[in-house]
Amino acid sequence: MKSELNRNYSELAEFILLGFRTSPEIQILLFSLFLLIYLVIVVGNISMIVVIKVDSRLHTPMYFFLRNLSYLDLCYSTVIAPKTLANFLSKDKKISYNCCATQFFFFALFVGTEGFLLAVMAYDRWSAICLPFLYTIRMSQHACVRLVAGSYICGCINSMIQTGFTFSLHFCGENRLDHFFCDVPALIKISCVDTSVNEIVLFILSALIIITTTVIIVVSYAYILSTVLKIPSTHGRSKTFSTCTSHITVVSLFYGTVFFMYAQPGAISSPEKSKIIAVFYTLIIPMLNPLIYSLRNREVKNAVTKIVFKKFSFH
């Protein structure tokens, strides 16, 4: 009997992504909106990567991390957006079991890595403002590469654990995911076995990552604030702290949505709420990040102006 049950469990070969259950007219409207957002994500983040790569004045640790942030935003939105866009125009909203697992693995990898990278960026700002004379030693090229590599390793470990636990669950025939991509809460909800261990693992992992990285960020900015307040001139304080405002904005947006989505035990029980929050951190935040850094950063704006001016001068 047990072997028969195990055989039945393994027969599930695909899921159906229910997505946003609205009328066909609204589906077309949502497709247009999501397509526009995704195009802005692609153009904005690729532009940020190219500008930082091309302009030698931006070859500093801060912009090295920012280039990696743009790469991560581009990657994890691309893991989600194309399939979501296709489903808006298709009656067949199926995704194979293996593709679902692959989508979730890379999504968890890139999102987890971004969380650690934001903490690294806070550490970079602390080093630059609080220990300026040691900055070039602390944040050498090799140190920056190691910090980014460490972020990816931590993100990969998180992704492997979550993917392993989630896709070891059994699904007894019910394959309709009330979501627009393969995410843990939706998968847990349709499993036919006890998922309490998975929910605890999800909560602990999410809380551990959020707490660890948040402590690094908060402590870094506490020291930064203390240092900035010691600067005698108002202009000096404003100029020094202005290098941190874009990062603080991005951190607030990212951690706020991730906390509400994954670090609350009751988050799994509200599919509609989960979808709205998921849209925000899978598409809206990757769209806003390059805008926040370009609009609030004089060096990036100057670099863009220089590149555009050279292009028009050439023609």
Side-chain angles (χ1 to χ4, degrees), residues 302-315:
N302 290 341
V304 172
T305 304
K306 181 182 176 183
I307 292 170
V308 173
F309 180 76
K310 274 188 175 181
K311 184 177 179 181
F312 281 101
S313 297
F314 178 78
H315 287 295

Side-chain angles (χ1 to χ4, degrees), residues 80-91:
I80 305 299
K83 181 61 178 175
T84 302
L85 289 168
N87 284 347
F88 279 129
L89 303 179
S90 173
K91 291 183 179 180

Side-chain angles (χ1 to χ4, degrees), residues 1-256:
M1 182 67 181
K2 187 174 180 180
S3 62
E4 180 66 21
L5 285 172
N6 287 336
R7 186 180 65 83
N8 289 337
Y9 289 148
S10 64
E11 285 177 355
L12 185 61
E14 62 188 16
F15 295 101
I16 298 172
L17 295 168
L18 297 178
F20 300 91
R21 289 175 284 184
T22 59
S23 64
E25 294 78 13
I26 300 297
Q27 291 284 311
I28 296 297
L29 182 62
L30 287 173
F31 169 81
S32 303
L33 179 61
F34 274 55
L35 178 60
L36 177 61
I37 292 171
Y38 182 57
L39 289 175
V40 174
I41 290 170
V42 173
V43 172
N45 284 289
I46 289 179
S47 298
M48 187 67 73
I49 292 167
V50 171
V51 166
I52 294 171
K53 180 72 174 176
V54 169
D55 196 315
S56 59
R57 293 173 300 177
L58 302 182
H59 293 176
T60 64
M62 183 175 80
Y63 292 104
F64 173 73
F65 296 133
L66 179 54
R67 191 175 72 187
N68 278 277
L69 179 69
S70 293
Y71 175 73
L72 288 169
D73 283 338
L74 181 63
C75 285
Y76 81 72
S77 58
T78 300
V79 168
I80 305 299
K83 181 61 178 175
T84 302
L85 289 168
N87 284 347
F88 279 129
L89 303 179
S90 173
K91 291 183 179 180
D92 181 10
K93 303 178 187 297
K94 295 176 181 178
I95 183 170
S96 71
Y97 184 93
N98 290 336
C99 285
C100 186
T102 302
Q103 184 189 57
F104 175 73
F105 174 83
F106 283 106
F107 171 71
L109 167 62
F110 293 129
V111 171
T113 302
E114 180 155 328
F116 289 106
L117 183 63
L118 289 172
V120 167
M121 292 172 77
Y123 172 76
D124 169 67
R125 291 298 81 210
W126 169 77
S127 298
I129 294 171
C130 299
L131 300 169
F133 298 110
L134 298 175
Y135 182 66
T136 54
I137 299 172
R138 280 178 170 270
M139 303 305 293
S140 65
Q141 185 177 0
H142 291 299
C144 291
V145 170
R146 286 196 296 268
L147 286 168
V148 170
S151 298
Y152 273 95
I153 290 169
C154 292
C156 189
I157 291 170
N158 166 63
S159 181
M160 288 191 294
I161 293 172
Q162 291 212 39
T163 305
F165 269 90
T166 302
F167 288 89
S168 64
L169 290 171
H170 295 305
F171 304 96
C172 312
E174 176 56 68
N175 67 341
R176 293 174 299 171
L177 291 176
D178 194 3
H179 214 309
F180 60 91
F181 72 98
C182 294
D183 201 8
V184 174
L187 288 160
I188 284 176
K189 193 169 183 180
I190 66 168
S191 176
C192 60
V193 295
D194 182 17
T195 60
S196 57
V197 173
N198 294 75
E199 293 183 42
I200 291 169
V201 168
L202 170 64
F203 175 73
I204 291 175
L205 268 178
S206 302
L208 185 63
I209 292 171
I210 290 173
I211 290 170
T212 303
T213 52
T214 301
V215 166
I216 294 171
I217 293 168
V218 170
V219 170
S220 296
Y221 276 107
Y223 278 105
I224 288 170
L225 185 60
S226 175
T227 302
V228 168
L229 290 175
K230 293 175 184 177
I231 298 173
S233 69
T234 304
H235 176 71
R237 289 196 296 268
S238 176
K239 185 178 179 181
T240 303
F241 199 71
S242 65
T243 63
C244 304
T245 53
S246 297
H247 181 254
I248 292 171
T249 304
V250 170
V251 166
S252 301
L253 289 171
F254 181 82
Y255 279 96

